[in-house]
Structures are given as C-alpha cells and as structure tokens.
Amino acid sequence: MTSFIIVGENDETKSKTLTLCEEKGISPLDITTITSDKDSVGIAVVKKIQEKIFLKPLQSSDKAVIIPDADTLTVPAQNALLKLLEEPPAHTYLFLLTVSSESLLPTITSRCKVIKAGKQTSLRIDDRELYTSMYPLWTKHDIGASLKLAEHLAKDKDKAARTLQNMTIFILGKMLEAISTGQEVSVLASQVQALQTASQLLSATNTSPRLILEQLFLKLGK
C-alpha cells in the first residue's frame, strides 16, 4: 500500500486526489471515500477502512481509499490507522485529505508521502498541445457540435471539472500572450468568465452537468 497526505483546501485536495487516481489508472468503481456523520473521525470510521482496504479491486489493478477531513481523526483513530500503515495490504492507495499535516501524529506523517495541493497555474507541454487543438472545437459556431461536446463531457463530472480548469488556464495563457503584443482580449476574457461560472456551478450546485456544459459551449461559441 502507498499512503499519501494531501494538504490544502477542501476542493484542492479532492481535485488533486482524483487526478492522482486517474494517473494511476484507478477506476471510479475502485475508489472508496470514507466519511463520518460526526464532527470527528473516530475508530468506527477506521473499522470501515479496514473492511474496505483488504478487498480486491473490482475493475483496476489497484484501488484507492480516501479519507476527507483527516485533520479531524481522533488520536485513538490515528493509532488504529497506524496499524494499517505498518502492515499495509497490496494494490491499495490510501489518501488522507487535510488542511494541515500538523494535525496528524508524526508516526502517521512519517509513513506517508506528503503532497501540497494548490491551484494549478500552468499546463504541461503535452496538455498545451491538447488544449490548443480543443480550443477551436469548443469555440466554433456550431450548436449541434456544442451539444454533442456537452453530452460527452457530462458523462464524468469530476473529469469535466478538471477539463474546464485546464481550459481556463489555457485561455488565460492566450490572454497574456495577446496583452504582451497589444491585441484585444475582451473575447478571451468573456470566455474565461464563462468557464469560471460553469466550474463554480459544477462544484457548488446540483444542476445537471450536461445543462451547465451546454450553456457553456453555447456562450463560448458566440
């Protein structure tokens, strides 16, 4: 088992964890998120983890167990969790999401890889090439194509959110290039605003992802 402590704000840690799971080829069917109905995460929650963590993956070669709000783990719960870290099962990734790693026992942090989750501000070269090719498709004046794009992207809400974030970063880069050469950026600015609005609706409301994306693509194509 490989264990991670993801440090950052709530949305950032969730996004980073899902990205890591995607990179490791872990299917959503093999991702288990352990939550608690109480203000703190106690031993009962750790028992749930013990039940899940030794099960074989359903679809992927590995599985993931995620504990949001790990900073609320009680000391007894952390001590119980430590036993899992000392005798880890194979083919499992454990993610502890927290706003501060200082809330966790040193014996826990010493057995985990600590990753700081922050807002992404740039794209990798391969990603820039991908979004360069996607940009004309997203912004062309074709209602039918826009609706098909929305339907396709809406199938995976989390992936859609990450895609919107990356497209926002891509367009912000285009804005900086345009500003540096004295070009007009009002259209790009409107596109960024539309993307940010759609991202907020995806993460903070129960509105249909497909409807949000349809409205987005229609705005981008104006």
Side-chain angles (χ1 to χ4, degrees), residues 162-189:
R162 293 193 297 275
T163 302
L164 295 191
Q165 180 188 25
N166 286 340
M167 183 57 82
T168 302
I169 293 168
F170 171 77
I171 297 178
L172 285 171
K174 288 177 67 69
M175 284 182 65
L176 289 174
E177 292 175 4
I179 291 171
S180 66
T181 56
Q183 298 178 47
E184 174 61 45
V185 296
S186 59
V187 173
L188 294 172

Side-chain angles (χ1 to χ4, degrees), residues 60-118:
S60 316
S61 58
D62 298 301
K63 64 182 182 299
V65 176
I66 302 171
I67 308 177
D69 304 317
D71 46 296
T72 64
L73 278 161
T74 63
V75 172
Q78 290 189 53
N79 285 327
L81 185 62
L82 184 60
K83 294 180 181 179
L84 282 176
L85 297 176
E86 291 173 342
E87 300 176 5
H91 308 296
T92 302
Y93 289 91
L94 177 65
F95 295 92
L96 304 176
L97 280 52
T98 176
V99 294
S100 173
S101 59
E102 294 178 0
S103 60
L104 298 172
L105 296 174
T107 48
I108 296 287
T109 56
S110 65
R111 288 170 171 79
C112 300
K113 181 177 180 180
V114 180
I115 297 177
K116 292 185 178 180

Side-chain angles (χ1 to χ4, degrees), residues 1-2 17 29 34 37 46 60 118 122 139 169-170 178 180 214:
M1 181 174 73
T2 303
T17 301
L29 290 175
I34 305 294
D37 295 331
V46 177
S60 316
S122 61
T139 56
I169 293 168
F170 171 77
S180 66
E214 285 177 352

